[in-house]
Amino acid sequence: MKLTLHIWRQQKRSTAADFKQDGRMVRYELDGVSPDMSFLEMLDVLNEQLIKKGEEPVVFDHDCREGICGSCSLMIDGEPHGPQSGTTTCQLHMRSFRDGAEIWIEPWRAKAFPVVKDLMVDRSAFDRVVQAGAFISVNTGAPQDANAIPVPKADADRAFDAATCIGCGACVAACKNASAMLFVGAKVSHFMHLPQGRVERETRARNLVAAMDKEGFGNCTNQNECEAACPKEIPVRVIAEMNREFLRAKAVEEPPSGKRVGGDG
Amino acid sequence: MKLDSKIPSGAIHEKWSNRKFEQKLVNPANKRKYKVIVVGSGLAGAAAAASMAELGYQVECFCFQDSPRRAHSIAAQGGINAAKNYRNDGDSVYRLFYDTVKGGDFRAREANVYRLAELSVNIIDQAVAQGVPFAREYGGLLDNRSFGGAQVSRTFYARGQTGQQLLLGAYAALSRQIGLKAVKMFARTEMLDVVVVDGHAKGIVVRDLQTGEIRTHAADAVVLCTGGYGNVFYLSTNAKNCNVTATWRAHRRGAGFANPCYTQIHPTCIPVSGDHQSKLTLMSESLRNDGRVWVPLKKGDKRKAADIPDTERDYFLERKYPSFGNLAPRDIASRAAMTVCDEGRGIGDTGLGVYLDFRDSIQRLGKEAIAARYGNLFHMYAKITAEDPYSRPMRIFPAVHYTMGGLWVDYDLQSTIPGLFVCGEANFSDHGANRLGASALMQGLADGYFVIPYTIGGYLAGQKPGSVDGKRPEFAQAAASVAEMTKRLLGIQGKRTVDDFHRTLGKIMWSKCGMARSEKGLKEAIASIQGLRADFWKDVRVLGDGMNVNQSLEKAGRVADFLEFGELMCRDALERRESCGGHFREEWQDDGEARRDDQNFCHAAVWEHKGEPKDAVRHQEQLHFENVHLAVRSYK
């Protein structure tokens, strides 16, 4: 296959205020691409050729290359992770493109995800949101036997569907508001369906929503682009669930600082 | 090099309790005065960092990924073993211990393995308390499945994403401690050296992968949780960035490296499709619960799988190992697959593949039941190969997956450098010469949650907190040597890319130090690697500078280490004149089955660094089997 690539090249880290700083689209011609290559293997081939020509290779995040670590990103022809649904960029194969195709490759664009270099972005905002409360506050030690808390299979399955989020950020990149509500909703949904997670449901909902706003993610206007872009096909119901949890938390009196509301309410 | 395994006294089931009791403690008020560095944020690292912070230690945690959640533990698919006996099928701590010692072909330390089996039950409790969504039955209780090398159902799982769910549990615990400011997290930061002061590990040198800054961090102890070295083969199921650098550089500073030749070749991976291939993808071993492995009976049978009747198929695992069948351990299953391919009965265009067929299970259980168990794996297979595994059998082939060797540690997980601890795949301790399926997650979490938080206290109690600060000259010296190497790599400006060297090394390792090894092949490999290493330092091309993101530079440092490590691995394989587990020497076999030599090799080989890999000195830790008696390992 023969391809024409247009790739965003940027030397310096962009600031939140100017996310297009110093970058530009650069055109590359690439020949000898096999349809069995993954999209990232195609970029590997380009990079090998660039190095041989004495040009700096294109920087992009990647690691497991089996669709689970969430490192890879890339806006491909305007779609996060490219044209195939339910697929990360590393699992996208060149057989999804036609010979002679012209492909535009850009980094995620969002105020909360500054570009680090070329196609690499800083997604640490997601980590900070998680640190604000996407956990169950148990220390390592000797909890009760695992089978002491039965969980109805349907609940366990719903929790699992949300827990499959890989934290890649496609939902944010797809959203015209750069909202992180699918990501945060997935966290809320995962814990709200488990009895262990219900103990801290109010504080979790309040803290996660506050952290998400603080990072500069936008709000949801029900376009559902996030669900379409999500490589793990996390449903938008998690956003509704998060909103419900948040409203519910608002209806419950906030605890005096330093104390948590216990119980199921 | 002194190798004191520090195995506690008492009967096997009393050893861990005895150690916990004998150990000196650090009182809670003093814990906050000690700083501990954890390198790596996978199952072992995240669990260790979170648990030690909960105890009150100041923890600094480092990972090269952009987030601790992305460590390669995330990719583990099949499950995690625990001796819960929820199935009522005769499982027990002792049986898990027995299976693991036998599965490791009698090359692991009994006391460590017993502790692992003992702690396995706590891991499941801990994970469930954290909200890990394990698979459940309709009654709400946890489900189990079977894995290779065991005749009981003791594997807990979360669809085909068990590693992901367990890692997210550990990452959540770690994130909670980061939020509480008990752990300082340094992502996109790569460890490039250990700082040894007065013989003790007291800090590390790191490179900030975004700014290129090289700096040092001082602490009272260092814990390496940096995974395995499978990428020495270039193609493996490891993530692209997995590397040996942290453990290798610790080795160069004096940590003994044990059994580097023990590598696990996993039988069920998607076959290579071409030269462009950058990594191999595993199809979970759990698929062998319901999939049957076969090749055509006749050589060169090019018919479609569906057109070959049962009478003309060879279900070779069921035929050769009737009592374990398709659930034979990984090393055995991999070699059996290689044998049928060598006989010319392999399938696919390359002839390097065997079928994993779900036809019978789909008929028996229905497509829906199979989809519920393995849906995401089938989906992944279809994505990669563009073939539908529900209607035609999967094509699979063995690939490098896990490394049992690693830094030598004593019972307390301390390396030969005092103050340097090693957890998870990075150490050598629990799997002997072959790891059983669903045991890696178990070991990583046991080490991180339940071993290191105790044993590190025993070391720290003998240390004055903050006794060494970063102003000692050893820190500046170590940082200077890292800066010097970076400068050297950037200065060569040769013709060949880093990947080109890595690929060449991988081919040498796979053909000469892969599934079958021989004296002749290993000697050739050593010579080739030495030549390749010399070429690397003359002809590698790394562009750009050191003061920005530079992925070629990162890779170059890792490949430079693989080029040294690969040679040591071949030397270890050469010196181990027997076959055991994943280490198969052509000269020591009985009709394709490994022949151990317990007379001469019932030991762990521990290498001491002496400048060049060719000068490394081999030491031995004798292994004693007092509970599980040495026997020929048979799965027939």
Side-chain angles (χ1 to χ4, degrees):
Chain A
M1 293 170 77
K2 210 170 169 175
L3 301 170
T4 302
L5 306 172
H6 300 269
I7 301 179
W8 182 262
R9 302 298 309 257
Q10 174 173 332
Q11 267 294 318
K12 282 202 206 84
R13 187 186 168 97
S14 55
T15 58
D18 179 11
F19 62 85
K20 282 186 180 165
Q21 185 181 330
D22 165 45
R24 66 198 171 95
M25 297 300 284
V26 178
R27 181 191 168 106
Y28 300 98
E29 305 290 336
L30 191 61
D31 202 356
V33 173
S34 147
D36 288 332
M37 282 178 187
S38 72
F39 198 85
L40 298 184
E41 284 167 348
M42 181 275 291
L43 288 178
D44 289 343
V45 172
L46 172 73
N47 275 344
E48 289 286 289
Q49 293 184 3
L50 289 179
I51 295 170
K52 286 195 175 127
K53 279 197 282 185
E55 288 177 43
E56 268 201 64
V58 180
V59 169
F60 59 91
D61 267 320
H62 67 98
D63 203 16
C64 79
R65 297 203 176 191
E66 48 188 271
I68 196 77
C69 74
S71 296
C72 66
S73 52
L74 304 191
M75 207 65 165
I76 300 166
D77 290 340
E79 289 184 273
H81 294 300
Q84 201 167 41
S85 69
T87 307
T88 54
T89 296
C90 64
Q91 300 246 279
L92 175 66
H93 284 71
M94 296 316 292
R95 62 179 87 95
S96 301
F97 298 85
R98 56 174 180 79
D99 192 9
E102 210 165 342
I103 307 172
W104 275 262
I105 310 169
E106 293 172 83
W108 286 168
R109 303 281 192 198
K111 194 168 107 188
F113 291 164
V115 173
V116 176
K117 189 176 178 181
D118 295 342
L119 303 173
M120 176 187 274
V121 299
D122 180 347
R123 288 169 287 195
S124 56
F126 270 6
D127 288 317
R128 289 187 294 274
V129 170
V130 170
Q131 287 154 21
F135 46 73
I136 292 172
S137 300
V138 288
N139 282 2
T140 307
Q144 70 279 41
D145 185 87
N147 263 348
I149 319 168
V151 182
K153 190 172 185 309
D155 288 353
D157 287 346
R158 269 193 288 271
F160 189 93
D161 288 339
T164 55
C165 168
I166 57 174
C168 64
C171 48
V172 175
C175 178
K176 64 178 185 179
N177 308 321
S179 168
M181 288 179 84
L182 194 75
F183 171 78
V184 181
K187 294 289 163 204
V188 170
S189 174
H190 166 193
F191 292 115
M192 70 178 273
H193 289 294
L194 296 173
Q196 308 92 298
R198 280 183 208 131
V199 179
E200 299 170 280
R201 64 196 294 183
E202 291 88 4
T203 41
R204 183 178 302 117
R206 271 195 283 266
N207 291 348
L208 290 184
V209 170
M212 158 180 108
D213 290 345
K214 190 177 154 213
E215 292 295 339
F217 292 110
N219 215 324
C220 175
T221 45
N222 298 316
Q223 308 283 295
N224 298 1
E225 292 285 349
C226 52
E227 181 183 283
C230 176
K232 296 295 149 184
E233 299 175 320
I234 292 181
V236 286
R237 71 149 162 93
V238 301
I239 297 181
E241 286 172 336
M242 178 180 74
N243 286 335
R244 202 168 68 216
E245 285 293 285
F246 183 68
L247 281 175
R248 191 180 172 288
K250 283 283 169 192
V252 175
E253 198 190 340
E254 266 195 67
S257 63
K259 282 193 191 150
R260 298 237 168 87
V261 175
D264 205 343
Chain B
M1 182 174 279
K2 202 170 142 270
L3 299 173
D4 177 2
S5 57
K6 297 201 195 119
I7 297 171
S9 58
I12 190 90
H13 63 278
E14 294 167 341
K15 287 182 190 293
W16 180 229
S17 312
N18 289 350
R19 172 54 41 87
K20 284 191 286 185
F21 185 71
E22 289 159 8
Q23 189 116 274
K24 279 188 272 180
L25 297 174
V26 179
N27 97 47
N30 283 342
K31 284 200 178 86
R32 63 171 181 271
K33 298 178 188 161
Y34 289 97
K35 189 192 277 184
V36 181
I37 282 173
V38 177
V39 186
S41 64
L43 287 178
S51 303
M52 290 192 288
E54 288 161 10
L55 286 173
Y57 296 114
Q58 303 168 45
V59 177
E60 290 187 347
C61 183
F62 298 80
C63 71
F64 63 68
Q65 296 89 348
D66 71 326
S67 162
R69 68 176 291 152
R70 307 209 199 278
H72 192 54
S73 306
I74 199 131
Q77 298 171 353
I80 176 165
N81 287 330
K84 283 284 199 185
N85 194 31
Y86 283 164
R87 300 286 101 182
N88 194 29
D89 59 359
D91 200 10
S92 63
V93 167
Y94 199 87
R95 187 174 296 283
L96 175 54
F97 158 67
Y98 175 91
D99 287 346
T100 307
V101 170
K102 179 187 168 197
D105 216 354
F106 300 90
R107 291 293 175 265
R109 202 188 276 146
E110 270 195 340
N112 285 58
V113 178
Y114 192 88
R115 175 177 62 190
L116 177 65
E118 217 178 334
L119 293 173
S120 68
V121 296
N122 303 54
I123 296 169
I124 302 303
D125 299 342
Q126 185 64 36
V128 167
Q130 290 169 341
V132 170
F134 283 121
R136 287 179 186 267
E137 299 171 323
Y138 285 100
L141 302 185
L142 293 163
D143 194 13
N144 288 111
R145 59 185 172 200
S146 306
F147 249 62
Q151 288 172 313
V152 293
S153 242
R154 63 160 76 98
T155 305
F156 294 78
Y157 66 100
R159 289 185 208 158
Q161 289 137 274
T162 318
Q164 182 199 23
Q165 294 309 319
L166 287 169
L167 182 63
L168 292 181
Y171 161 75
L174 173 63
S175 296
R176 175 168 161 250
Q177 295 305 314
I178 298 170
L180 294 168
K181 307 218 177 332
V183 175
K184 255 195 213 164
M185 185 71 219
F186 298 86
R188 289 206 202 270
T189 306
E190 182 166 31
M191 182 203 116
L192 294 176
D193 210 348
V194 177
V195 183
V196 180
V197 180
D198 303 331
H200 287 243
K202 290 295 173 194
I204 59 172
V205 181
V206 298
R207 181 168 177 272
D208 181 322
L209 300 182
Q210 295 186 81
T211 64
E213 185 199 0
I214 291 166
R215 46 167 211 270
T216 58
H217 289 256
D220 295 290
V222 176
V223 185
L224 298 185
C225 309
T226 53
Y229 47 80
N231 274 350
V232 68
F233 290 91
Y234 185 71
L235 285 181
S236 82
T237 64
N238 286 6
K240 285 297 284 176
N241 297 305
C242 291
N243 63 78
V244 76
T245 289
T247 47
W248 185 251
R249 297 200 183 172
H251 170 66
R252 295 183 61 111
R253 290 281 175 193
F257 210 113
N259 304 328
C261 79
Y262 289 167
T263 48
Q264 175 163 81
I265 317 272
H266 197 294
T268 53
C269 301
I270 300 177
V272 175
S273 72
D275 277 343
H276 57 267
Q277 190 117 11
S278 62
K279 79 151 274 160
L280 296 170
T281 302
L282 176 76
M283 288 285 105
S284 166
E285 173 166 327
S286 60
L287 293 169
R288 289 196 275 144
N289 267 295
D290 290 303
R292 297 178 71 195
V293 178
W294 65 276
V295 288
L297 212 47
K298 275 191 306 237
K299 244 166 113 167
D301 189 339
K302 290 287 168 205
R303 285 177 292 175
K304 277 196 275 179
D307 297 340
I308 303 178
D310 256 1
T311 50
E312 293 173 48
R313 297 177 175 194
D314 178 13
Y315 292 94
F316 56 91
L317 289 177
E318 295 170 23
R319 170 174 58 82
K320 285 171 120 168
Y321 308 103
S323 60
F324 282 71
N326 293 297
L327 286 173
R330 292 175 178 177
D331 53 336
I332 308 253
S334 290
R335 264 200 305 282
M338 196 68 197
T339 308
V340 294
C341 292
D342 287 345
E343 289 165 6
R345 298 193 285 142
I347 53 100
D349 295 338
T350 56
L352 296 174
V354 301
Y355 288 124
L356 178 62
D357 198 339
F358 293 87
R359 183 197 64 185
D360 298 350
S361 304
I362 291 173
Q363 273 168 13
R364 195 176 71 245
L365 304 163
K367 190 176 161 181
E368 239 170 59
I370 295 298
R373 280 181 202 172
Y374 312 110
N376 72 312
L377 298 170
F378 276 49
H379 181 74
M380 178 152 66
Y381 181 86
K383 283 263 136 73
I384 293 175
T385 60
E387 292 171 12
D388 172 26
Y390 292 102
S391 58
R392 53 195 280 194
M394 288 185 177
R395 294 175 294 113
I396 54 162
F397 194 65
V400 175
H401 180 55
Y402 185 90
T403 54
M404 284 74 68
L407 290 182
W408 182 89
V409 288
D410 63 17
Y411 186 77
D412 293 336
L413 305 184
Q414 187 164 221
S415 71
T416 56
I417 302 176
L420 182 72
F421 292 78
V422 192
C423 301
E425 189 178 352
N427 75 28
F428 90 112
S429 69
D430 297 354
H431 306 297
N434 173 57
R435 180 175 66 75
L436 289 181
S439 289
L441 303 182
M442 174 171 71
Q443 188 221 340
L445 288 176
D447 286 1
Y449 283 135
F450 300 114
V451 181
I452 192 74
Y454 292 100
T455 59
I456 203 154
Y459 169 77
L460 291 173
Q463 301 286 308
K464 201 169 148 264
S467 59
V468 170
D469 68 16
K471 294 192 189 77
R472 289 283 296 252
E474 289 85 349
F475 284 83
Q477 282 158 14
S481 78
V482 167
E484 168 61 30
M485 182 167 173
T486 304
K487 213 176 121 196
R488 217 178 131 200
L489 287 168
L490 287 166
I492 299 166
Q493 295 295 324
K495 285 192 209 63
R496 290 174 68 184
T497 63
V498 178
D499 278 349
D500 186 10
F501 280 102
H502 195 178
R503 219 175 275 124
T504 310
L505 173 67
K507 281 186 182 149
I508 298 170
M509 297 303 293
W510 178 248
S511 62
K512 305 279 166 70
C513 196
M515 290 237 273
R517 299 146 177 198
S518 69
E519 176 164 345
K520 182 170 165 282
L522 289 165
K523 284 184 170 159
E524 286 164 8
I526 291 170
S528 314
I529 295 168
Q530 287 169 346
L532 188 66
R533 190 165 69 232
D535 288 349
F536 176 87
W537 285 105
K538 279 196 296 250
D539 201 22
V540 74
R541 170 177 282 194
V542 183
L543 301 172
D545 61 43
M547 297 317 286
N548 197 344
V549 177
N550 189 337
Q551 292 174 319
S552 307
L553 178 64
E554 294 162 24
K555 273 195 277 191
R558 295 168 193 163
V559 171
D561 291 335
F562 277 135
L563 283 165
E564 294 185 359
F565 174 75
E567 183 180 343
L568 186 73
M569 205 171 136
C570 292
R571 279 196 67 199
D572 188 49
L574 182 63
E575 293 301 324
R576 187 166 283 280
R577 293 181 166 79
E578 65 161 351
S579 295
C580 59
H583 170 65
F584 189 76
R585 282 287 298 264
E586 286 169 0
E587 302 93 324
W588 284 275
Q589 57 168 312
D590 297 304
D591 206 14
E593 303 292 326
R595 193 201 304 149
R596 278 198 336 257
D597 177 358
D598 294 330
Q599 200 72 38
N600 298 303
F601 288 95
C602 195
H603 61 245
V606 187
W607 295 87
E608 183 180 4
H609 180 72
K610 292 281 184 192
E612 292 279 323
K614 69 175 169 40
D615 303 319
V617 177
R618 188 178 190 271
H619 302 271
Q620 298 179 6
E621 181 201 340
Q622 199 60 38
L623 298 169
H624 304 282
F625 293 90
E626 289 158 359
N627 297 279
V628 185
H629 295 293
L630 283 165
V632 175
R633 181 169 159 246
S634 167
Y635 292 93
K636 292 186 171 168

